[in-house]
């Protein structure tokens, strides 16, 4: 996602000094360590900025001169599990951009990694590109729309200063990987896969909001262990690595302009 054009007003384009950061995160387990780290406060139900009936949860507060809003899609009202996936991610991102008007979005979360691309458990990546791997529309032009490949907001200084790994991110609505998904992920040249990144990127680009994607590897997709088993086994420890990486990114952002990232 390219930076906003210079002919747009600063407040609309997100240019100038960064003062408001929106962290979009999929799961409560991933969110709570960051809530604690940044001493964020949960918005009371009666003070919610979101439409009535939406299960989305917002935490907010100030940290080192930045105002931080952290949102996650909440629990499914019927089943009580985290509302993961592209639909929930896109909806909460859309509403948050409209209501909170962030200067920068950080989509933080866990992901599967590919050992063939050098990924290991606990590695943290800053995504350079995003695409979908399960939107198959075999009609000319629609096929490219379905893949939705796009560059993320360029952050060379963050990559260099914080020594984060860089790689391409592929997004789909399934935790496991079907043969069709595998083929598409290979075509996307992805190092990591998740269940929300490309959806967040789509919405962020629509409203000219810079977005970056910080992903920590919980499971090796092309490894020996079943994905679900390895994911659950490593979720807590890898979330700690994610917490540390996001904190470093936030500390780096302090006082900078969007184009300085």
């Amino acid at each position: 996602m390219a930076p906003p054009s210079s002919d747009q007003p600063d407040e609309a384009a997100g240019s100038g000094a960064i003062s408001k950061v929106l962290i979009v995160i999929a799961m409560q387990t991933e969110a709570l360590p960051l809530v604690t780290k940044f001493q964020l406060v949960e918005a009371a139900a009666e003070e919610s900025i979101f439409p009535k009936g939406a299960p989305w949860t917002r935490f907010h507060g100030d940290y080192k001169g930045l105002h931080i809003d952290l949102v996650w899609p909440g629990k499914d009202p019927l089943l009580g599990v985290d509302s993961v996936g592209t639909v929930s991610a896109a909806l909460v991102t859309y509403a948050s951009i409209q209501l909170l008007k962030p200067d920068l979005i950080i989509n933080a979360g866990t992901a599967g990694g590919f050992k063939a691309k050098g990924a290991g458990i606990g590695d943290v990546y800053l995504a350079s590109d995003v695409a979908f791997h399960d939107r198959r529309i075999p009609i000319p032009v629609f096929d490219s729309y379905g893949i939705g490949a796009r560059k993320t907001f360029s952050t060379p200084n963050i990559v260099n200063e914080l020594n984060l790994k860089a790689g391409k991110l592929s997004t789909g609505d399934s935790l496991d990987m079907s043969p069709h998904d595998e083929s598409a992920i290979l075509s996307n040249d992805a190092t990591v896969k998740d269940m929300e990144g490309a959806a967040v990127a789509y919405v962020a680009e629509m409203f000219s909001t810079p977005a970056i994607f910080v992903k920590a590897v919980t499971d090796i997709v092309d490894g020996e262990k079943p994905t679900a088993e390895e994911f659950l086994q490593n979720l807590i420890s890898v979330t700690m690595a994610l917490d540390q990486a996001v904190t470093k990114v936030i500390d780096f952002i302090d006082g900078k302009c969007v184009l300085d990232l």
Side-chain angles (χ1 to χ4, degrees):
M1 292 168 289
S5 60
S6 59
D7 60 347
Q8 292 176 295
D10 283 359
E11 62 270 23
S15 59
I18 299 172
S19 62
K20 296 188 292 184
V21 175
L22 171 66
I23 300 175
V24 178
I25 203 158
M27 299 181 69
Q28 184 178 41
T29 301
E30 299 166 336
L32 292 182
L34 293 174
V35 168
T36 300
K37 173 64 183 181
F38 299 130
Q39 298 183 336
L40 305 180
V41 177
E42 183 174 0
E46 62 271 16
E47 299 173 359
S48 177
I49 62 171
F50 296 132
K52 183 178 180 180
W56 312 327
T57 302
R58 169 179 166 248
F59 297 86
H60 60 94
D62 296 316
Y63 175 82
K64 294 186 176 181
L66 293 173
H67 181 77
I68 299 176
D69 287 292
L70 183 151
V71 297
W72 67 290
K75 300 285 187 178
D76 179 84
L78 179 62
L79 301 175
V81 296
D82 290 297
S83 299
V84 299
T86 59
V87 173
S88 294
L91 285 169
V92 75
T93 300
Y94 167 78
S96 297
I97 289 174
Q98 298 306 305
L99 297 167
L100 300 172
K101 304 188 184 309
D103 300 314
L104 178 72
I105 294 173
I106 301 174
N107 174 219
T110 54
F114 292 86
K115 66 179 181 180
K117 290 287 188 178
I121 300 297
D123 286 348
V124 181
Y125 284 85
L126 200 62
S128 59
D129 302 72
V130 295
F132 293 97
H133 57 251
D134 61 354
R135 302 203 311 180
R136 294 177 289 276
I137 314 174
I139 302 172
V141 184
F142 280 98
D143 53 357
S144 296
Y145 165 78
I147 296 168
R150 50 183 38 87
K151 288 281 187 182
T152 64
F153 188 77
S154 180
T155 55
N157 295 326
I158 289 180
V159 172
N160 293 333
E161 292 289 333
L162 302 186
N163 198 31
L164 294 177
K165 292 188 172 184
K168 296 181 179 181
L169 170 66
S170 194
T171 296
D173 273 307
S174 297
L175 181 65
D176 64 2
M177 184 173 65
S178 72
H180 287 293
D181 289 349
E182 182 176 13
S183 176
I185 291 169
L186 288 172
S187 295
N188 290 340
D189 193 29
T191 299
V192 288
K193 65 179 283 285
D194 77 345
M195 297 176 66
E196 69 275 341
V200 173
Y202 173 77
V203 178
E205 184 178 82
M206 183 181 295
F207 298 104
S208 299
T209 306
I212 62 177
F213 302 81
V214 183
K215 301 292 174 175
V217 176
T218 51
D219 54 278
I220 302 302
V221 185
D222 53 348
E224 303 300 324
K225 294 184 178 180
T227 295
E229 176 185 321
E230 193 168 31
F231 169 77
L232 293 172
Q233 176 184 332
N234 295 318
L235 178 60
I236 300 300
S237 61
V238 171
T239 295
M240 294 175 61
L242 177 68
D243 170 32
Q244 293 171 1
V246 173
T247 300
K248 289 179 180 178
V249 171
I250 291 289
D251 287 340
F252 181 86
I253 289 170
D254 182 30
K256 290 184 174 60
C257 297
V258 170
L259 296 181
D260 293 335
L261 301 181

